[in-house]
Amino acid sequence: MNDEQGGGAMRHVADRRAVLRNVAGLSILPLGAGLLSGCDGDGDANATATAAADDASLLADAKIPDATTSFTVAVLPDTQFYSRYATPEESSQFSRKYGSEPFAAQTKWIADNAAAYNIPFVIHLGDVVDQVGRPSQWQVADAAMKRLEAARIPYSVLAGNHDVVAAFEYRGPWDQGTGTDAQRWGPNEPYLQWFPTSRAATQATFRERDGSGFHEYHVFEAHGIRFMVLSLSWRISDAAIGWARDVIRRNPTLPVILSNHQLLNIDKDGISPLETDYGKMLWDRLIRDNDQIFMTLNGHHHGAARLTKINDFGNPVEEMVVDYQMDYQGGNALMRLYEFDLSANRIDVMSFSPWVVQKPKATLNQFDRALLTEPNEQFSIDINFKKRFAGFLRFRPVWSTTGAPILPVVKEKLLAGYVEPAVPVAVPPRDATDYPVAADTYAHWRPMAGKAGAIVAVGEALPDATGAFPMTRVPLAGPAQAGDVQWSDDRHHLSSCPASVRFLNTDKVTGRNSSFSTAMNAAVNNRSFWDGYTVEAFIKVDAGWTRENHRWGNILGRVGNRGNLPGFRGGDREASSVLFAISSLREIQWEVVPASNAALPQANWSGEIMADTWYHVAIVCDPATRETILYVEGAPVLRNVTGEVGMRSQSVNNPWIIGASWWNGARVDGFFGNIGEIRLVGRPLKPDQWLTARRA
């Protein structure tokens, strides 16, 4: 080392000492130009590593173990329903009901708290909007993300399957020639118009996008350590994988957080991780042999789970999926903070909603949760940063001398003055008639108890508690067999009916289905429910449900083509006027032709429901508000009907159907699973009058 080199090294050590002194008195390091600017170029990473090696002994001695050196990264899972239901086309549901919107609440909270909670970067996991062709939804998202830009808070964003014009699922390695970013035409993609490269480039952390414009990477700095966020959009092409690998090659000392829309899934229990074919492809072609990738984040699959995998270097890679879109209010603005505690060798995770705490108190219910505390939502990841990054980085942070953990402060301030709504105590039924009897009950079908496992014979009755309109099993048709329907003692824990009907062997491909029907000339067939209605059902989709064989399985329907209704001009004229079904995505569909307007069908939709799980479903049509709301396990869904009343009947010679639907003269789309009691009431009922409540 010559004198000039030695002097430079001494000045560097002195500068570092000054930095260490200057952090005294700061409990949390504030955001500054250093955190926002990232690095000046790809080559600087090597210089930083060399400089860190020069003063390794100084930094090792300077660390104060009792002080916390940490920062947080904010993560925004799928925002698609926040964008959709804030638009005038969807009745501006959020602002109309709450005076505010969830997407805006998330980004405003980040902008207001980034300095206090040391948030140098924000990661959006895709599905920015729900319907790619609706400019109004992009406008909502645009306005929300501009709050971060105005506050100079850097972020990455990516396109989910709802953000691209043609969203093809990955099927296997042979599928890389179709449906990827390479097959999209940029000028036709709204995502690239609303979030173009030029907009990404305004982020101080932005470094580059690939040739398609869909994938990008950023570099942010915290406590002297620089991190890369590699953000990959829906269905990456071979060329883009090559670009991603090259980006890592050109930045050989940067720890990498890989954000993607789809990678890890969640198993049927709603908690356990489940690997996807697409995720395995990314693991094999991008992750496993790139030791710098230590963490992955994705949305798309509904819920939250975590998986630790070991890469080719013997090091852990933490994979996490988080997506709240199917929760109450499309996610209720739930988001995450990841606190990287460099001093404690730990990443702490907090899942919370900044919107719930600001909602008007009168609107809150048991589904409004400001903080999620389940093990898959609030957890810590042990990670020895120095050891984990040793293969590519000499880990030498700028240590804080008086820092404190961040997430406990976030929690304390978030919940200050907030009282979480009480959760109603669910009372199990005391006996088989422990439910509120409702006036104007038109029919209440209750499966027979004490016959578990017995075949329901053709012509055997499904009793009506009113005694007026029992159903009977219809004659066999096509490949259906007598054993396809059985009595069962399996039931929802809040249903006082101790039995259900189990539909077995249903198969949409072969047309195998069985059903029950009211009698011809039964007066209930002719009800149009002009005074509103409440329809309740207890259902459980079979554990063996598949999209191919069981999609659109119907719980309840009506005989007759809806196209025969006077004035009808909607689509699928051969379908029933009532479709109460499980969609191809395992969503609950309630679609009827309203009595007040027979021109077009109107539909309510739930989010995805789990197989092998009992649900209580209530559909309540209120003529006073002209609104029909679908409730699943007591929670109202977002996709509801406004402006219409009732459901149009055809005649007394068009019976009700349980277990299948009607299409152009035939019973189709059989249900696969268990159906418990079903009740039709000719007026809107409140929750304390539902079958899940108890009699007075």
Side-chain angles (χ1 to χ4, degrees):
M1 179 186 295
N2 60 32
D3 290 343
E4 183 176 351
Q5 291 171 324
M10 291 302 294
R11 284 193 297 273
H12 179 72
V13 171
D15 290 343
R16 296 300 290 270
R17 285 196 179 111
V19 169
L20 291 171
R21 286 196 301 270
N22 289 339
V23 299
L26 298 179
S27 61
I28 299 175
L29 288 178
L31 271 177
L35 295 184
L36 290 172
S37 61
C39 62
D40 295 328
D42 294 331
D44 285 355
N46 291 320
T48 299
T50 302
D54 291 339
D55 62 351
S57 60
L58 168 66
L59 291 171
D61 294 337
K63 181 180 177 182
I64 300 177
D66 292 337
T68 297
T69 299
S70 67
F71 65 93
T72 58
V73 172
V75 175
L76 299 177
D78 307 42
T79 56
Q80 61 195 75
F81 289 154
Y82 307 151
S83 297
R84 176 173 178 173
Y85 292 101
T87 63
E89 292 91 332
E90 300 288 352
S91 303
S92 301
Q93 289 194 39
F94 301 122
S95 59
R96 178 166 55 87
K97 293 181 179 180
Y98 306 107
S100 58
E101 298 173 1
F103 202 164
Q106 288 179 322
T107 53
K108 182 179 186 302
W109 184 90
I110 296 170
D112 291 346
N113 292 282
Y117 301 144
N118 201 4
I119 305 174
F121 200 74
V122 180
I123 298 174
H124 195 302
L125 297 180
D127 274 359
V128 180
V129 301
D130 190 46
Q131 296 169 304
V132 65
R134 298 293 179 91
S136 58
Q137 295 179 29
W138 289 104
Q139 289 167 4
V140 172
D142 172 66
M145 299 306 284
K146 278 181 177 175
R147 289 180 179 271
L148 299 179
E149 295 167 358
R152 298 184 63 244
I153 311 298
Y155 67 85
S156 64
V157 66
L158 57 88
N161 56 304
H162 282 260
D163 302 322
V164 297
V165 172
F168 297 98
E169 293 279 349
Y170 175 82
R171 295 174 295 177
W174 65 89
D175 207 24
Q176 282 296 89
T178 58
T180 74
D181 57 78
Q183 285 76 48
R184 299 177 196 138
W185 185 50
N188 195 40
E189 294 288 342
Y191 174 81
L192 297 182
Q193 314 310 314
W194 288 93
F195 290 92
T197 302
S198 58
R199 182 171 185 174
T202 64
Q203 307 293 318
T205 55
F206 175 75
R207 291 295 171 267
E208 186 177 297
R209 279 194 178 181
D210 78 311
S212 75
F214 278 100
H215 317 291
E216 64 187 41
Y217 86 93
H218 294 250
V219 177
F220 72 87
E221 183 175 334
H223 296 290
I225 303 295
R226 291 180 301 153
F227 293 82
M228 177 194 296
V229 174
L230 182 56
S231 186
L232 307 180
S233 287
W234 179 256
R235 287 297 311 278
I236 190 169
S237 63
D238 291 342
I241 290 174
W243 168 84
R245 295 185 64 87
D246 187 58
V247 162
I248 296 172
R249 180 192 61 79
R250 288 188 275 121
N251 294 273
T253 65
L254 298 186
V256 177
I257 300 171
L258 178 67
S259 63
N260 191 45
H261 188 59
Q262 183 195 27
L263 196 154
L264 185 66
N265 197 354
I266 305 156
D267 213 339
K268 293 178 180 179
D269 62 7
I271 299 174
S272 302
L274 180 67
E275 292 194 85
T276 66
D277 289 339
Y278 186 72
K280 291 176 182 177
M281 182 272 289
L282 287 175
W283 175 262
D284 288 335
R285 300 190 58 188
L286 178 61
I287 302 170
R288 68 181 304 161
D289 65 342
N290 275 304
D291 195 30
Q292 292 167 247
I293 301 176
F294 71 99
M295 174 176 167
T296 73
L297 296 169
N298 70 274
H300 187 60
H301 299 290
H302 313 143
R306 169 191 162 203
L307 175 67
T308 301
K309 297 192 71 174
I310 304 301
N311 66 16
D312 290 351
F313 300 84
N315 288 323
V317 179
E318 302 295 340
E319 297 185 347
M320 281 160 282
V321 53
V322 56
D323 174 14
Y324 300 113
Q325 72 185 80
M326 292 308 179
D327 285 9
Y328 178 60
Q329 294 299 309
N332 225 9
L334 287 163
M335 54 179 285
R336 276 192 174 175
L337 281 182
Y338 285 77
E339 180 176 5
F340 290 70
D341 190 335
L342 306 182
S343 48
N345 286 317
R346 190 175 67 237
I347 300 174
D348 294 321
V349 181
M350 176 180 175
S351 305
F352 71 104
S353 170
W355 188 47
V356 166
V357 296
Q358 72 178 53
K359 283 183 175 181
K361 289 185 178 180
T363 68
L364 298 176
N365 59 43
Q366 70 266 33
F367 304 106
D368 285 301
R369 300 182 63 196
L371 187 70
L372 303 184
T373 57
E374 292 80 1
N376 61 326
E377 300 287 5
Q378 179 177 279
F379 55 91
S380 295
I381 301 170
D382 292 325
I383 174 171
N384 186 319
F385 292 100
K386 182 176 181 179
K387 181 180 179 181
R388 176 62 182 84
F389 300 160
F392 54 89
L393 171 68
R394 195 175 288 267
F395 185 70
R396 294 293 185 265
V398 177
W399 299 109
S400 174
T401 59
T402 59
I406 299 171
L407 294 189
V409 179
V410 177
K411 178 180 177 180
E412 179 183 1
K413 293 188 176 181
L414 177 77
L415 300 180
Y418 173 73
V419 178
E420 191 165 278
V423 178
V425 178
V427 179
R430 295 162 292 187
D431 52 51
T433 59
D434 193 7
Y435 64 91
V437 175
D440 301 321
T441 296
Y442 294 160
H444 185 181
W445 297 293
R446 310 191 87 210
M448 295 176 63
K451 302 183 66 174
I455 293 173
V456 181
V458 171
E460 190 172 359
L462 174 62
D464 175 9
T466 72
F469 306 112
M471 287 199 171
T472 56
R473 185 178 177 186
V474 302
L476 301 178
Q481 296 182 18
D484 292 349
V485 185
Q486 297 178 2
W487 299 110
S488 171
D489 58 6
D490 192 11
R491 64 182 178 88
H492 189 285
H493 69 287
L494 293 180
S495 172
S496 60
C497 178
S500 62
V501 176
R502 186 178 183 191
F503 293 86
L504 301 162
N505 306 316
T506 303
D507 191 323
K508 183 180 179 70
V509 176
T510 63
R512 185 169 179 171
N513 68 80
S514 297
S515 61
F516 293 83
S517 178
T518 52
M520 296 283 283
N521 299 315
V524 72
N525 299 343
N526 206 31
R527 293 287 190 178
S528 287
F529 300 89
W530 281 99
D531 295 323
Y533 56 81
T534 301
V535 176
E536 293 182 80
F538 292 96
I539 63 165
K540 184 175 83 166
V541 173
D542 194 274
W545 186 95
T546 66
R547 179 175 180 171
E548 179 182 13
N549 295 98
H550 308 115
R551 65 189 185 276
W552 304 112
N554 271 252
I555 302 156
L556 181 71
R558 275 178 145 167
V559 169
N561 296 10
R562 63 188 184 184
N564 294 332
L565 292 169
F568 185 85
R569 54 184 176 84
D572 201 6
R573 297 176 60 86
E574 296 82 7
S576 172
S577 60
V578 172
L579 298 171
F580 186 8
I582 305 299
S583 79
S584 58
L585 300 177
R586 277 214 316 270
E587 305 159 315
I588 297 172
Q589 173 201 33
W590 173 259
E591 181 174 303
V592 302
V593 178
S596 58
N597 180 7
L600 299 170
Q602 302 289 327
N604 301 66
W605 294 90
S606 79
E608 179 186 19
I609 64 170
M610 303 301 294
D612 200 29
T613 302
W614 275 103
Y615 290 92
H616 170 258
V617 181
I619 307 102
V620 181
C621 174
D622 189 342
T625 60
R626 300 184 74 84
E627 188 172 38
T628 302
I629 301 178
L630 169 65
Y631 298 84
V632 180
E633 287 294 287
V637 304
L638 274 173
R639 302 161 74 177
N640 292 306
V641 172
T642 58
E644 304 297 345
V645 177
M647 44 179 151
R648 182 64 62 89
S649 66
Q650 295 195 36
S651 76
V652 293
N653 293 323
N654 294 95
W656 287 91
I657 306 169
I658 285 180
S661 187
W662 179 268
W663 197 86
N664 201 28
R667 294 169 190 265
V668 297
D669 296 335
F671 183 79
F672 184 50
N674 290 65
I675 297 178
E677 55 183 328
I678 296 178
R679 183 168 71 169
L680 307 182
V681 179
R683 61 187 175 89
L685 298 180
K686 295 181 179 180
D688 61 1
Q689 300 170 301
W690 293 348
L691 293 171
T692 50
R694 308 281 68 96
R695 65 176 181 262

